[in-house]
Amino acid sequence: MLSEESLVQRLSALVGPEHVVAGAEVSGYAVDGKTPKAAAFPGSVEETSAVMTFASAEGLKVAPWGSGTKIPFGGIPERVDLVLGLRRLGEVVDYVPEDMTATFQAGTPLKDAQAVLGQKGQWIALDPPHAERATIGGVLATNSSGPRRLRYGSSRDFLIAISVVHADGKITKGGAKVVKNVTGYDMPKLYIGSLGTLGIIVDATFRVYPVFPVEKTYLAPFPTAEAEQQVLNKLLDSTVVPNAVELLNPDAARRTTAQAGLTWQEGSYGLAVAIGSVPEAVQAQIAAVERLCREGGSSQGHILEGTVHHTFWQAVGDFSLGDGQQAVLKASVLLTQVAQAVRMGEAVAAKAGLSLGIISEAGSGIVRYYLSGDRPDRFQQGLAEAVSTLRTFAQATGGSLVVLEAPPDVKGAVDVWGSVGNTFPLMQGLKDQFDPQRILNPGRFVGGL
Amino acid sequence: MIQDKARIIREIEQIVGPKGVVHEEDELRVYETDGLTIFKAMPDVVVLASTAEHVAELVKLCQREKIPYVPRGAGTGLSGGALPLDGGVMIGMNRMNRILEVDYDNKRAVVEPGMVNVWLTNAVGPRGYYYAPDPASQIACSIGGNVSENSGGVRTPKYGVTTNHITGVEVILPNGELVSLGGKTLDAPGYDLLGVFVGSEGTFAIITKVIVRLMRKPEAVKTLMTVFENLEDASNTVSGVVAAGIVPVSMEMMDNNSIVAVEKGVGAGYPTDAGAVLVIEVDGPRAEVEALVDPIRDICKKNNVREVRLAKDDAERALLWKGRKAAFAAMGQISPDYYVQDAVIPRTKLPQILQQISKFSEEYGLRVANVFHAGDGNLHPLILYDSRNEGELEKADEMGSKIMKACISMGGSITGEHGVGREKREYMPLMYTDDDMEAMKKVKRVFNPDGILNPGKIFPTTTPDVKVGLAGQRPIVEKVVGQM
């Protein structure tokens, strides 16, 4: 194994000494408490490739790093020798507004990409948590998405091409910069959500969408999650075309509405339905949603527009319970089981004495549980119980539950991913093919891959 | 050719029963080609599977005996994807054609792979739902084939292709094991095996079940037939609609040769002296759809439109679409044979590529009928030829490859929805480096390690083709030993 000094020297030769971090400063790049020997920030795809060629020759374990917003995601790494930071890969590679395709380097903050596209009235249809800081590469590697996936799908639905630096430094591309393409296997999808364990994403091409002339939200209070489920079923069976349908438990509804400056009746669940279209269609559909909510037992709701609308959705994306130990779990369940998943979460949190915020992309069957606790001993045990109970529930009907964020000691006590059943040999096979030395994020992916 | 064929057939009969086996040469002829008839290859035996267990047992038998095998749906594919290039066993999936479950509340249907695409929409239509991907062959093609090829259709500009509508598949791997990729719910943990499976052209595993999204029918639909003097004005209209931030369901274009063929064939009411017909469809909430019609009209006017006809009712709308969907079949009206290409270009390059195709047409002395998905830049130039004339097929083939190369040079793709299959495998290096293809082969090796499932597809092969005889218009049947 290289000494730290020669490691820094070698990396400096590849990316320039000013782009290598080592010594005390590198502790800021620890992954689950595992501190790398160095962090390197290549300035080009070629430099990224050179760093990986070097890392594979030396057997260095590498953790890719965008802006760090999703670093708590995944299992605890076996070892981290080198953090490979992508922040200098921030170029707009290619953007033809009339073709509605755009290519960005992986280190580009999503927000910056949206700003470029926004000048032409377009956007990448992704609104993941921490959207203010997340990078394109990180969003893709963690398959992060947000409320508007109901309308547009997730990254897999509009990522059309990708370039990747492999463990051995080879650079390959998959897909094409056209909106329809079936030439060869659909490689972009393989890298989405692979947490950098198959290769390092260096650029990505998206099919982009026009921004709607208007988007507004109808936010309705409900006495129970079950009442919301009924309305959800009816809404999804109607001809209303919502951009997002979000269910919030009373705590999440209280906090997010407070941030948006809205009054909220304590103890009420929230159902937020965002509608995007031309003004007259927004108005007609908001009215239809309001009618459905009223018939479903909701009292007077809010129509959110302009700054309030924007602030509310930002509060949803950046939701956090504040102080104490925190964890975020994400369940994927059948659309008809959202209310039940909410109830299960409430029961398990109450039993364990944990605070609970729930934000559910109800129209997509995604339920996010935000849990926190003041007492570390109880937190760890309570969380393990929550993971077990909620996972059993989700898996019973073919769903899943993953831990998105948790302190390392808690992660050590639970299976972050859950079982992937008899598909595991295929996943292991892919890892063996793409990274036979296991140098990319070893231990962080499903089954310890 | 299978060694010890009689014994193998006996074993196959034990799995599926004698009625599920076809091995007489005259009966096998039906299976020697798919929708792309210029390629032919004969299986040694065709087995009609009725259950996933049948498929598993057949796969185990083929793997044990090292017999190449290939699944086949309805045989409507347009890239030779279901051809048994090395002979062996063809597993016909048409008997597995049931709709197993329709779950409206969860917006899913579970179907068998041999189910015909349009049956699902027919089944769920009365309840206000549909299955979105609608290839032109939807009255015949099977959902398993759609998943394998990642088929498109005319709704892709707004609703995407097959991969956007599949949430799960159940497959039999070459080791005989049944695995589920995805399911009714989203975001299964781990690698997106489902994502890379869709569009794998039958080279990874054999599909035995498919879980699809059901879509709610929109409140309103408006279909406009717009008539232009030339392709350029029509192409600029397409760009204009896109630039205006409108996402139509469809923008389908036909040139004069296509219009004439369609009118002779089905009489959809297209003006036969027009240079181009562009069908534009928008759907969604009524107020939104109504607000889009006038801006679209304005864009058409700016681009010298001759006529805009808004379908008055469902019958008129169906007629406009009938013409477009029957376009390939109608080519027989104006040419004995045609060869269809499937390349894609960035949408803004439409006028350029159409000019280029027209130049090639003059150069080769072959007419071209352009019928295409203009809304997503997916071209279908139909090169018209007469196979009775010496050398015309070869000319059509050469011209086709020039079109593909021109599309790639404009930043496009060699296939948008038909697949690479046997037909375009030699063209893969136009788009991908050896390293790019090696990454793909790594995935194939995981699923299909010895390559005897559907050999000879997608990747260029270094094994020389051994031409074993004239097949139809040209010698094409070949020996390809699993080259991976």
Side-chain angles (χ1 to χ4, degrees), chain A residues 103-421:
Chain A
T103 308
F104 296 95
Q105 285 191 320
T108 311
L110 180 62
K111 190 184 171 190
D112 293 0
Q114 304 288 31
V116 169
L117 299 168
Q119 289 171 7
K120 299 286 179 185
Q122 299 179 348
W123 74 307
I124 298 169
L126 276 171
D127 56 348
H130 314 299
E132 295 289 302
R133 288 174 53 218
T135 61
I136 290 207
V139 167
L140 291 174
T142 56
N143 190 23
S144 190
S145 64
R148 282 159 195 81
R149 70 178 292 169
L150 178 61
R151 179 74 179 256
Y152 299 94
S154 55
S155 300
R156 75 196 298 284
D157 294 297
F158 43 78
L159 177 73
I160 56 176
I162 200 164
S163 297
V164 171
V165 171
H166 293 262
D168 60 3
K170 283 210 172 86
I171 305 163
T172 71
K173 66 178 184 305
K177 293 177 181 180
V178 285
V179 296
K180 198 172 171 192
N181 166 46
V182 295
T183 312
Y185 301 137
D186 195 344
M187 299 300 281
K189 291 196 179 48
L190 189 63
Y191 302 110
I192 295 172
S194 67
L195 203 65
T197 58
L198 297 178
I200 295 171
I201 299 168
V202 287
D203 72 43
T205 305
F206 296 90
R207 172 192 180 167
V208 299
Y209 286 86
V211 175
F212 285 108
V214 183
E215 189 184 56
K216 292 185 188 178
T217 298
Y218 188 73
L219 174 62
F222 281 88
T224 64
E226 285 73 15
E228 289 187 319
Q229 177 82 59
Q230 293 301 319
V231 172
L232 172 71
N233 295 353
K234 284 188 182 149
L235 178 63
L236 297 179
D237 193 38
S238 77
T239 54
V240 173
V241 184
N243 283 0
V245 180
E246 214 75 355
L247 186 157
L248 299 93
N249 80 334
D251 196 26
R254 179 175 57 79
R255 288 167 188 264
T256 49
T257 50
Q259 275 176 270
L262 297 161
T263 55
W264 191 254
Q265 194 185 340
E266 192 70 25
S268 292
Y269 291 77
L271 190 70
V273 181
I275 302 285
S277 186
V278 295
E280 49 273 48
V282 171
Q283 198 181 351
Q285 291 186 87
I286 290 276
V289 172
E290 181 171 5
R291 205 159 46 241
L292 279 172
C293 289
R294 293 284 203 153
E295 287 165 9
S298 164
S299 49
Q300 182 64 51
H302 297 281
I303 295 174
L304 316 185
E305 51 192 305
T307 316
V308 176
H309 169 86
H310 178 79
T311 315
F312 171 76
W313 285 105
Q314 196 168 344
V316 168
D318 294 339
F319 186 77
S320 156
L321 286 177
D323 302 332
Q325 284 204 295
Q326 308 273 337
V328 185
L329 316 180
K330 174 186 152 190
S332 176
V333 299
L334 296 174
L335 301 182
T336 46
Q337 290 190 318
V338 171
Q340 232 180 314
V342 169
R343 280 277 174 255
M344 299 281 294
E346 289 171 341
V348 79
K351 193 173 153 210
L354 302 176
S355 304
L356 173 69
I358 298 177
I359 296 186
S360 166
E361 285 143 36
S364 308
I366 304 295
V367 184
R368 290 173 206 271
Y369 303 96
Y370 298 79
L371 292 147
S372 75
D374 302 328
R375 289 179 45 193
D377 54 326
R378 275 181 65 179
F379 184 71
Q380 182 174 334
Q381 198 197 342
L383 198 73
E385 276 170 31
V387 169
S388 162
T389 308
L390 298 173
R391 181 171 284 156
T392 304
F393 169 73
Q395 287 183 341
T397 47
S400 59
L401 179 127
V402 296
V403 179
L404 294 184
E405 280 175 40
D409 60 327
V410 175
K411 283 210 283 188
V414 298
D415 180 355
V416 169
W417 297 98
S419 164
V420 294

